Amino acid sequence: MTFREAINEVLIRLREDTISSDWSGDINDSSTVSAYQKVIGALINDSKRSIESYNDWLVLRQTVDISTVASTKNYNLSSGQNFKILDVVNNSTGTQLIQVSKAYLNNIKYPTDPTGEPLYYGFNGADTSNNLKVDLSPIPTAAQTISFDIVKYQDELTEAATVINIPNKPVVLGAWARAIAERGEDGGTQSSIAAQEATNSLNQAIMIDGGNAKYENDWFTT
């Protein structure tokens, strides 16, 4: 489902005029989209971001690889700020890296930073584009590939043809419930029904997604 289609799904439920064709560029800069339709677009984004945070959706998962350089401690993940790390593995050795605090990294660097195969990582700063960076410890002494498995939230929707990555129904119903509240109609029967339908749809989507990742809760001894 595209951004425009999601907006129209909400507008239909509100008995409002839909958007007949794709706009050009950012929705907020469009002269063909009404002010109220732009409000619904904003509510779609609010609903999407809320739902993204409820589950480690399989469709949002990706792997970010960094190549280590001898004597270099700090690395850019180039993934913005809106992501969650699930696992970090040294592909050259099979070692899983453990996340630690900046305080821990500060403590172990005296009298000198340890060097060798990285065993730990911790967040430390960002670049000028607000991409978060990490420190590795021990500091690498050779070129290796470190893979970060992350859940990365989709950017805010602005263009008509952008496809929503996560399950569509909870996004639409969540935006519909927000639209009813925005109109000042919350507290009534329609508001209660919309909120319950949104919750039920989200629960069902999480159940289906979780069923495809059920083995993540299994523990293995090595």
Side-chain angles (χ1 to χ4, degrees), residues 73 100-114 137:
K73 181 177 184 178
V100 295
S101 67
K102 185 68 171 74
Y104 177 84
L105 293 175
N106 287 339
N107 287 335
I108 64 172
K109 71 180 182 180
Y110 293 104
T112 59
D113 266 311
S137 181

Side-chain angles (χ1 to χ4, degrees), residues 84-140:
K84 174 184 177 181
I85 293 179
L86 299 177
D87 191 29
V88 182
V89 176
N90 185 331
N91 281 330
S92 301
T93 64
T95 302
Q96 285 187 302
L97 278 68
I98 300 171
Q99 183 176 3
V100 295
S101 67
K102 185 68 171 74
Y104 177 84
L105 293 175
N106 287 339
N107 287 335
I108 64 172
K109 71 180 182 180
Y110 293 104
T112 59
D113 266 311
T115 59
E117 179 187 347
L119 301 174
Y120 308 101
Y121 72 94
F123 287 103
N124 184 17
D127 65 13
T128 55
S129 298
N130 291 324
N131 292 301
L132 293 180
K133 303 169 76 174
V134 295
D135 283 344
L136 299 182
S137 181
I139 296 176

Side-chain angles (χ1 to χ4, degrees), residues 37-83:
Q37 291 167 343
K38 291 177 182 178
V39 169
I40 300 303
L43 296 180
I44 288 287
N45 274 305
D46 291 343
S47 179
K48 179 185 74 70
R49 183 48 53 89
S50 175
I51 291 167
E52 284 173 332
S53 67
Y54 273 100
N55 186 45
D56 295 334
W57 301 101
L58 294 175
V59 73
L60 297 182
R61 299 186 185 194
Q62 57 184 261
T63 300
V64 176
D65 291 333
I66 61 172
S67 298
T68 63
V69 177
S71 302
T72 299
K73 181 177 184 178
N74 190 248
Y75 295 86
N76 194 334
L77 294 181
S78 301
S79 298
Q81 299 182 43
N82 295 315
F83 65 87

Side-chain angles (χ1 to χ4, degrees), residues 1-23 27 33 37 40-41 44 160 172 175-176:
M1 181 178 289
T2 66
F3 186 27
R4 180 175 69 87
E5 290 169 342
I7 293 173
N8 282 343
E9 285 289 326
V10 177
L11 291 170
I12 289 170
R13 287 168 171 79
L14 296 169
R15 299 182 178 87
E16 296 285 348
D17 292 336
T18 57
I19 304 172
S20 59
S21 61
D22 287 353
W23 61 88
I27 185 172
V33 180
Q37 291 167 343
I40 300 303
I44 288 287
V172 169
W176 178 41

